[in-house]
Amino acid sequence: MRAIGIILAGGNNHRIRQLTQDRAACAMPIAGSYRSIDFALSSMSNSHISKVAVFTQYNAGSLNEHLSSSKWWDFGRKQGGLFIFTPAVTAESNAWYRGTADAMAQNISFLKNSHEPYVIISSGDCVYKMDFNKLLEYHIEKKADITVVCKEMPPEAPVERFGIVKVDPDMRIREFEEKPVVARSNIVSCGIYVIRRRQLIEMIERCTEEDRYDFVRDILIRYKDMKQISACMMSDYWSNISSVDDYFRTNMDFLKAEVRKYFFKEYPEIRTKVDDLPPAKYNMGSQVHNSLIAGGSIVNGTVEDSILFRKSYVGNNCYIKNSIILNDVYIGDNTHIENCVVESRGTIRANSYYKGESGIQVVVEHNERYVI
Amino acid sequence: MYVKKEMIAMLLAGGQGSRLGVLTQKMAKPAVSFGSKYRIIDFPLSNCINSGIDTVGVLTQYMPRRLNAHIGIGIPWDLDRTMGGVTVLPPYESNENSDWYTGTANAIYQNLEYMESYNPEYVLILSGDHIYKMDYEVMLDFHKKNKADVTIAVMPVPMEEAKRFGIMVTDDNRRITDFQEKPEHPRSNLASMGIYIFTWKVLKEALLTNRDQPGLDFGKHVIPWCKDQGDNLFAYEFNGYWKDVGTLNSYWEANMGLIDIVPEFNLYEEYWKIYTTAVSIPPGYMAPDAVAERTIVGEGSGIYGQCYSSVIGCDVTIGKGTVIRDSIIMNGAVIKDGCELNKCIIAEECEVGSGVRLGVGDEAPNDTNPNIYNNGLVTLGEKTVIPDNVTVGKNTVIYGVTDENDYQDMCLPSGGSIIKAGDEE
């Protein structure tokens, strides 16, 4: 592969509320067994990109834990590998990453010391699968300076939280607005870009000179008339988890047969850190309908239209409906949980009642856990 | 570079385990899957790493491909090491005498150089065909404390069953004074588990002295020789769960033991984890009409029918309207819609057509191997295909891709066998 990879995993998002209290958005658990960064990482690995940098800053610990070994994504190589960059005090800088471009600027040696001609940049909080070889071919064929992966959203979908683009018939991006008040198109940027490495270095260095720090605002939008920035339309599944509702909906998408087939059964696969958990166990009296149950879980009660992440325990006579139970949650007997996201490592006391009335409720309960 | 490991393990994984019938037709017994997502060898391998042993030689001989693929470079067990780790040791050709492994101790003898390269003080000999959790470090402490030359792990068994085992007779200090191999009148109820710790010098001397003994075996030759030499032999009593899964019935029973509310052999304990190669990552899916009770299900499986008291592997599909009871379904098997399965062992990647009924009717002894296929079990070898709407009785075995012509009136009566698979692979 003639590209190196960069995954932008620094961000926090206030719209995802308590769920990023203790973790980076890119470490958000997805679909029972994964974390959001797995999708970008696996796509890069599956596209034979052998050298990948992850820029992380907010709650970096959670991500470091997940990426503690690179072998699960096949990055434990002599050539290349997985590089995790958190902000560091250096002779030149003692600042945090002030933006995505600044993160690259502070680690410009990673770009300069590579020899691959291209860079694939992806945000780490999107759920998708992509063959970057095809994307690179498209980029070269279009003779673009930068290619932005875009997706046409359904007309009724709210898109104001994305970068909105307008393209001309030749797919060149003519307008690019970041999180507009009123969207003037329903084509959104997926946060995945291709750019020539030397071009990127040049632009980043220019940004630094001008005290500009954001890749979208200070490179994509600022250069869109001067450089050829092309859109590459993505037709497959793509979703991002920038709000609690998005996060909930993205997870629930995996209850659809076609989404499961696309991510779980079709080549290539999404990989993640392996957890060595025993098989899921369904005890006498358990009733589980239209739900995903991850490894290490033990179910005694009723679960409907829900996702149980790894190592969940559902007590006797519980009723879990339309909810997401994150990793290692213990739910005591006779508990009712509906329209909720239960934060990981939580312990729900027996006889509790939680119901999201006007939307999805985030439940964070860290009680003493007596059993087990 | 001088290497020193206090204790290394040698794991005997070369046996076929012929009493498992078609399950070991294409793979050695240690590679047979167990408890949904595991394989039998995962238990001794996990015990090794959990006991702090990071150098393990795995001796293979019979049909080793699946075992090799499963072990790889040892990543799941953290046995991918720059020094030591897991090494697969197949028989090899040499200048003097090229030989298969002719006995358990002969296999170890042929790998003297491997062991020597780690300068061990002790060598742990294991077999790859039991289900148990054991801290070998505690056994080593026992060995050291007694200044033993050989320590043999033993388990108390009911006196009336003692005649099926190798029995160790000990004094009050657990010093072994005598052995009895499958005795008519046992003088003790301590059965050997086939787990030995040797002081390296003693093992080396015993193997070199007895190397010309045909079929050199630990139980038959090496241990008696050590005793005759006047070595210190001790019996280390183990009281935990330990299951031999040598027959189809004991294999089935051990699997069924995993689905109790608090099983005697608990895979859900944090303290002593069992590791395996992850064949599948995604969570299991339970369809709107699915039922699972007293059942364990591996990753990536989709349940659309009903499963009761069963052990289901990874990436399995159970079709709509299908009812499964008391069965073991291994990785990648597909059971289509409207089937009925009772007390079946379905090996990996089998395909059972719609409307098939397995394990119905009255029992009749198996016509080819009544000693293997009994207890009402229906056994399907790996990659077996059964066409739609077939009915199969009890004590039956089917292996290979079958079609309607293989069945009389779409039926295989109890006690019947269809073995179609050849030696391809």
Side-chain angles (χ1 to χ4, degrees):
Chain A
M1 182 68 174
R2 293 180 297 153
I4 55 172
I6 289 179
I7 296 179
L8 303 171
N12 167 35
N13 202 316
H14 59 91
R15 280 174 305 175
I16 200 155
R17 293 179 295 197
Q18 303 99 309
L19 292 174
T20 53
Q21 187 81 42
D22 296 318
R23 65 165 80 82
C26 296
M28 287 296 289
I30 300 281
S33 302
Y34 304 90
R35 291 185 183 265
S36 47
I37 198 172
D38 291 334
F39 294 86
L41 265 183
S42 300
S43 289
M44 289 196 175
S45 173
N46 292 334
S47 306
H48 305 292
I49 296 177
S50 56
K51 189 174 178 186
V52 173
V54 177
F55 295 137
T56 166
Q57 162 164 291
Y58 176 79
N59 273 336
S62 58
L63 206 54
N64 286 339
E65 195 185 318
H66 185 60
L67 303 178
S68 63
S69 171
S70 58
K71 60 182 155 195
W72 312 119
W73 302 271
D74 258 348
F75 283 122
R77 302 281 136 215
K78 286 204 291 181
Q79 308 289 330
L82 186 63
F83 299 80
I84 300 170
F85 293 109
T86 44
V89 175
T90 62
E92 289 87 37
S93 153
N94 61 357
W96 295 98
Y97 295 152
R98 286 159 290 193
T100 45
D102 189 39
M104 292 185 239
Q106 289 193 30
N107 298 289
I108 197 84
S109 62
F110 172 78
L111 289 170
K112 286 188 167 172
N113 295 342
S114 300
H115 55 82
E116 288 82 350
Y118 295 96
V119 184
I120 310 259
I121 302 172
S122 171
S123 67
D125 60 356
C126 296
V127 174
Y128 69 100
K129 247 182 2 181
M130 182 166 244
D131 183 349
F132 292 126
N133 291 295
K134 291 201 179 123
L135 178 63
L136 188 55
E137 270 170 39
Y138 178 91
H139 175 79
I140 294 167
E141 187 196 303
K142 283 278 171 198
K143 297 192 173 63
D145 291 304
I146 303 176
T147 298
V148 178
V149 175
C150 295
K151 186 164 177 70
E152 190 167 350
M153 303 299 263
E156 70 280 8
V159 292
E160 283 75 15
R161 61 208 153 78
F162 297 112
I164 305 295
V165 302
K166 268 190 154 175
V167 294
D168 69 12
D170 197 33
M171 298 312 282
R172 183 167 169 181
I173 293 178
R174 291 297 177 185
E175 284 183 39
F176 196 126
E177 269 191 294
E178 182 71 349
K179 303 185 179 97
V181 180
V182 178
R184 288 190 289 168
S185 135
N186 63 338
I187 298 177
V188 305
S189 159
C190 295
I192 303 164
Y193 320 104
V194 192
I195 182 169
R196 210 152 43 75
R197 184 173 56 88
R198 287 186 186 286
Q199 173 84 75
L200 180 65
I201 293 172
E202 198 181 289
M203 287 172 153
I204 295 284
E205 285 184 330
R206 183 88 175 270
C207 279
T208 312
E209 279 165 25
E210 296 169 350
D211 287 333
R212 294 176 184 275
Y213 305 122
D214 190 67
F215 184 78
V216 173
R217 195 178 57 230
D218 300 322
I219 292 180
L220 290 183
I221 295 178
R222 199 166 146 81
Y223 284 92
K224 72 174 187 307
D225 300 323
M226 209 172 103
K227 298 282 183 186
Q228 189 195 321
I229 302 185
S230 296
C232 176
M233 299 305 288
M234 170 151 189
S235 52
D236 293 321
Y237 186 93
W238 176 86
S239 180
N240 130 309
I241 51 165
S242 58
S243 70
V244 170
D245 287 343
D246 278 339
Y247 177 69
F248 188 82
R249 187 184 40 73
T250 301
N251 272 294
M252 287 302 172
D253 278 345
F254 282 83
L255 292 180
K256 297 175 189 158
E258 71 274 13
V259 175
R260 276 203 314 282
K261 182 162 170 282
Y262 178 63
F263 282 104
F264 295 170
K265 302 288 176 201
E266 281 175 18
Y267 181 87
E269 66 172 346
I270 304 297
R271 288 173 236 178
T272 188
K273 184 178 178 177
V274 172
D275 239 355
D276 300 303
L277 292 167
K281 188 162 179 230
Y282 302 89
N283 284 332
M284 202 70 198
S286 80
Q287 292 193 42
V288 184
H289 306 297
N290 189 35
S291 296
L292 283 167
I293 313 289
S297 297
I298 300 178
V299 184
N300 293 292
T302 301
V303 179
E304 280 175 11
D305 308 318
S306 296
I307 299 178
L308 261 56
F309 281 69
R310 290 171 172 176
K311 264 177 90 178
S312 312
Y313 176 88
V314 178
N316 287 309
N317 198 28
C318 286
Y319 182 72
I320 317 285
K321 167 93 182 164
N322 194 39
S323 293
I324 294 173
I325 314 294
L326 298 184
N327 296 299
D328 193 12
V329 170
Y330 180 91
I331 301 172
D333 296 349
N334 311 318
T335 293
H336 180 111
I337 295 178
E338 194 171 347
N339 308 334
C340 291
V341 177
V342 180
E343 175 60 308
S344 57
R345 286 185 271 281
T347 300
I348 310 282
R349 288 203 181 101
N351 311 311
S352 304
Y353 184 92
Y354 299 92
K355 187 173 179 186
E357 294 293 353
S358 55
I360 299 308
Q361 186 186 346
V362 176
V363 177
V364 184
E365 283 282 4
H366 292 294
N367 300 307
E368 279 299 311
R369 192 180 294 189
Y370 298 107
V371 201
I372 294 203
Chain B
M1 174 60 191
Y2 182 73
V3 185
K4 174 117 197 85
K5 300 272 184 188
E6 188 187 26
M7 181 157 82
I8 64 170
M10 299 295 274
L11 209 168
L12 296 158
Q16 176 181 3
S18 53
R19 288 174 303 159
L20 287 179
V22 288
L23 297 188
T24 53
Q25 200 77 37
K26 288 282 175 64
M27 63 178 95
K29 179 171 159 190
V32 171
S33 85
F34 181 86
S36 166
K37 62 187 292 191
Y38 304 97
R39 293 182 189 276
I40 296 172
I41 198 172
D42 292 337
F43 297 88
L45 273 182
S46 301
N47 286 340
C48 280
I49 196 68
N50 289 341
S51 305
I53 299 168
D54 67 2
T55 306
V56 183
V58 178
L59 297 105
T60 60
Q61 174 154 292
Y62 175 81
M63 291 276 181
R65 187 183 68 80
R66 302 295 283 270
L67 206 51
N68 288 343
H70 181 65
I71 294 170
I73 60 166
I75 286 178
W77 306 273
D78 258 346
L79 286 170
D80 51 328
R81 302 280 165 142
T82 47
M83 195 62 74
V86 66
T87 310
V88 175
L89 303 167
Y92 54 89
E93 195 173 12
S94 69
N95 276 334
E96 298 104 48
N97 51 338
S98 306
D99 225 337
W100 294 102
Y101 295 150
T102 56
T104 52
N106 175 267
I108 304 292
Y109 164 72
Q110 292 200 37
N111 290 287
L112 268 184
E113 274 179 38
Y114 168 81
M115 294 184 283
E116 194 118 59
S117 68
Y118 293 104
N119 287 299
E121 278 173 57
Y122 308 99
V123 176
L124 171 69
I125 310 285
L126 302 168
S127 65
D129 43 12
H130 295 113
I131 307 296
Y132 64 110
K133 294 181 187 175
M134 181 171 178
D135 191 341
Y136 304 131
E137 214 172 356
V138 177
M139 182 170 167
L140 179 62
D141 289 343
F142 176 88
H143 181 86
K144 287 185 201 162
K145 196 186 81 200
N146 288 306
K147 299 197 170 55
D149 296 308
V150 187
T151 299
I152 301 171
V154 295
M155 209 175 72
V157 294
M159 211 59 180
E160 55 273 22
E161 282 181 37
K163 59 167 82 70
R164 296 198 292 121
F165 295 91
I167 295 296
M168 302 288 144
V169 184
T170 65
D171 66 14
D172 293 344
N173 299 319
R174 291 281 177 230
R175 182 188 295 270
I176 296 172
T177 54
D178 203 2
F179 340 97
Q180 297 175 291
E181 188 62 27
K182 299 190 175 143
E184 206 46 53
H185 303 288
R187 286 192 283 135
S188 139
N189 67 337
L190 298 176
S192 168
M193 299 162 67
I195 299 167
Y196 313 105
I197 290 178
F198 281 87
T199 300
W200 164 238
K201 285 201 194 94
V202 174
L203 177 66
K204 190 175 168 188
E205 199 201 333
L207 293 175
L208 284 171
T209 313
N210 295 294
R211 63 178 150 189
D212 295 326
Q213 169 75 41
L216 188 62
D217 183 90
F218 277 104
K220 283 197 202 100
H221 309 116
V222 174
I223 303 284
W225 183 85
C226 288
K227 183 161 174 303
D228 292 344
Q229 290 297 104
D231 288 343
N232 287 322
L233 273 63
F234 280 85
Y236 169 74
E237 188 175 325
F238 177 73
N239 283 302
Y241 180 95
W242 182 80
K243 210 46 147 214
D244 177 66
V245 287
T247 64
L248 277 179
N249 197 47
S250 64
Y251 171 82
W252 177 83
E253 274 178 359
N255 271 284
M256 291 300 133
L258 299 171
I259 59 182
D260 295 335
I261 292 256
V262 181
E264 197 187 343
F265 188 73
N266 197 344
L267 293 166
Y268 294 80
E269 286 166 343
E270 277 297 296
Y271 160 68
W272 199 266
K273 273 193 177 184
I274 303 299
Y275 306 98
T276 189
T277 303
V279 293
S280 184
I281 295 168
Y285 176 69
M286 295 285 285
D289 304 324
V291 178
E293 275 193 329
R294 298 190 72 236
T295 290
I296 56 175
V297 181
E299 276 86 353
S301 289
I303 313 286
Y304 300 84
Q306 303 170 25
C307 306
Y308 303 96
S309 306
S310 293
V311 172
I312 294 174
C314 302
D315 294 328
V316 169
T317 305
I318 308 287
K320 251 188 143 135
T322 290
V323 180
I324 295 183
R325 287 178 203 278
D326 309 315
S327 295
I328 300 165
I329 318 277
M330 299 188 203
N331 294 351
V334 176
I335 316 293
K336 296 207 172 136
D337 300 344
C339 298
E340 178 191 339
L341 275 68
N342 300 304
K343 223 178 162 184
C344 296
I345 300 176
I346 313 285
E348 293 165 56
E349 291 171 48
C350 284
E351 204 183 302
V352 175
S354 298
V356 168
R357 298 168 70 217
L358 302 179
V360 293
D362 296 329
E363 281 199 37
N366 184 261
D367 54 9
T368 46
N369 259 318
N371 294 329
I372 293 177
Y373 306 107
N374 47 36
N375 254 320
L377 286 164
V378 179
T379 309
L380 267 52
E382 65 173 330
K383 296 183 179 146
T384 292
V385 176
I386 296 186
D388 293 352
N389 302 318
V390 162
T391 300
V392 175
K394 292 171 177 163
N395 298 328
T396 46
V397 54
I398 303 174
Y399 185 34
V401 178
T402 64
D403 55 36
E404 284 88 348
N405 302 325
D406 297 308
Y407 301 87
Q408 213 161 22
D409 304 327
M410 301 300 275
C411 177
L412 179 70
S414 287
S417 308
I418 302 176
I419 307 280
K420 275 187 92 180
D423 289 326
E424 79 282 352
E425 176 162 37

